[in-house]
Amino acid sequence: NAGVTQTPKFRVLKTGQSMTLLCAQDMNHEYMYWYRQDPGMGLRLIHYSVGEGTTAKGEVPDGYNVSRLKKQNFLLGLESAAPSQTSVYFCASRTGGLHTEAFFGQGTRLTVV
Amino acid sequence: DAKTTQPNSMESNEEEPVHLPCNHSTISGTDYIHWYRQLPSQGPEYVIHGLTSNVNNRMASLAIAEDRKSSTLILHRATLRDAAVYYCILRDDPNQFYFGTGTSLTVIP
């Protein structure tokens, strides 16, 4: 049971380039989340999804897009990367229910130069 | 989600109990108190959650004040592996999940 898997684990982008981060979960979870974490700070919610085909904005959605075409996958896209998007990105998923445990991936370290 | 206040950092000696405080004076009646921790270079992991009554599991205990304006995460016997950032989170919205800056726990051998 792999849990939550993020691809890639590391990436360096040039300003203006685009890329997609993939989050895959094999637990049949309804809810999925994308966060970013900057040095010395907590996690900030970018976008989330409450089910296949649905997405919603979190605290810091600007500059990012997401898609949830399949229940097990949640994609985070950067159309035109900026140095301010240098961060560690974490994906999480959880099953339905008000207070179920969330499971996190190991993170993707993205550097935009 | 309501706001929580935690100390930036704490230290504990190995094999001693650790009490991690969290203040949430504006908590509402429907807010659950959740705790997660983040080990170095890893994603956060669930620790425990509760509403009104104290809660125990294999990892920790959660003590909730009678007025619910504060809570304490108790690690009964700290180990080096418990060195992490501990996040106290209030949740009443099943769709969203907000983290603060947490408490960085250092365990001294």
Side-chain angles (χ1 to χ4, degrees), chain B residues 75-104:
Chain B
L75 307 180
H76 295 288
R77 191 168 163 271
T79 69
L80 296 179
R81 195 193 173 276
D82 292 322
V85 178
Y86 287 78
Y87 297 97
C88 171
I89 303 164
L90 298 187
R91 293 185 58 206
D92 65 353
D93 181 345
N95 297 331
Q96 302 191 14
F97 206 158
Y98 294 105
F99 285 72
T101 54
T103 296
S104 178

Side-chain angles (χ1 to χ4, degrees), chain B residues 1-108:
Chain B
D1 285 345
K3 187 177 175 66
T4 62
T5 303
Q6 299 178 254
N8 288 333
S9 61
M10 291 184 63
E11 288 186 350
S12 174
N13 293 320
E14 193 177 11
E15 299 186 4
E16 290 187 356
V18 182
H19 291 236
L20 297 163
C22 181
N23 288 320
H24 28 79
S25 58
T26 59
I27 192 171
S28 73
T30 55
D31 281 326
Y32 275 71
I33 302 159
H34 288 246
W35 284 82
Y36 279 72
R37 72 178 185 180
Q38 186 175 21
L39 302 173
S41 301
Q42 295 191 26
E45 63 178 355
Y46 169 82
V47 178
I48 201 167
H49 78 275
L51 181 62
T52 56
S53 302
N54 294 345
V55 184
N56 300 295
N57 66 21
R58 63 174 179 82
M59 289 181 69
S61 296
L62 175 60
I64 301 172
E66 197 169 334
D67 63 5
R68 299 206 333 120
K69 293 184 183 301
S70 66
S71 60
T72 302
L73 179 71
I74 302 166
L75 307 180
H76 295 288
R77 191 168 163 271
T79 69
L80 296 179
R81 195 193 173 276
D82 292 322
V85 178
Y86 287 78
Y87 297 97
C88 171
I89 303 164
L90 298 187
R91 293 185 58 206
D92 65 353
D93 181 345
N95 297 331
Q96 302 191 14
F97 206 158
Y98 294 105
F99 285 72
T101 54
T103 296
S104 178
L105 175 66
T106 300
V107 179
I108 302 168

